Amino acid sequence: MDKYQALIVLIKNSLLLSDKSKINLLKKVPDLTFKEVNELGSVLAYEYEFIEKNQKAIEKNLTQLIQR
Amino acid sequence: MMVQKEEGQNEAWEAGKGTSVDPRLEAKMSVSKKLASAATVREVINSLKQTSKNPHLKKILKLQASNFALSLLAGLEVLPGVTKISTLPKVVITAIEIASKGGKKGYFADLYKDVPKPLKALPVAPELYQSVVNQFKTYKEALNFGKDAINKFVHPQANIQAARLLFTPQRREKIYG
């Protein structure tokens, strides 16, 4: 898997992007520069890290909110 | 779309009215703007790590992680208009306040009543209001979505994990080094 393919995987599975934004971004991926791929890929990878690091707090708060 | 409005929200609502409602406009957002948005968010997150020197950001850290994540979820869609880091705390707070209209009234307001006034006075990109309102039209769905997200991240698919590692070299070294 190269970085372009990896970026496509991350875009498709992103939680931050809407479906419409995903489609728009996926169309643009082939035209992105390597630098842009790195930048966007890093952000989307960080998305996972953010939720992973805050997993317990998120889980607790979401459960509380849903139960209200 | 019909959205409930509170009296105190009218001014902000009117400010945002007619600015970025058109879905065609949203569709025209360029990748560069998206990248700028993402970079801004990253900057905010990095800054949040250095809260000891900034009392305002310290307050922001009191925000629940889930709300911050949900706000980012909404904010990333329109953040190009918000480029200054100083506006982000207010953006997050406002997002949560508006989100509360779709949830239990007063709940978030009680949680964040001690947010300092200077933060509340900061300007917010009007586009964000519309985006947040749209986002939280399905507020409860967003919460359930958050739960699903946790499950997804706890047990990520192999290809997602591999893709992620390509962009996080430190972690790869930790695992394979």
Side-chain angles (χ1 to χ4, degrees), chain B residues 145-171:
Chain B
F145 157 88
K147 255 193 157 181
D148 291 341
I150 291 164
N151 291 331
K152 189 174 177 182
F153 283 116
V154 172
H155 305 290
Q157 295 169 20
N159 65 331
I160 300 175
Q161 186 76 350
R164 188 181 146 208
L165 289 175
L166 278 180
F167 295 104
T168 51
Q170 304 91 337
R171 181 163 293 218

Side-chain angles (χ1 to χ4, degrees), chain A residues 20, chain B residues 16 18-29 130 134:
Chain A
K20 191 189 285 183
Chain B
T19 51
S20 180
V21 184
D22 190 345
R24 288 171 299 180
L25 189 64
E26 187 186 347
K28 287 180 182 175
M29 286 182 67
Q130 190 61 46
N134 284 337

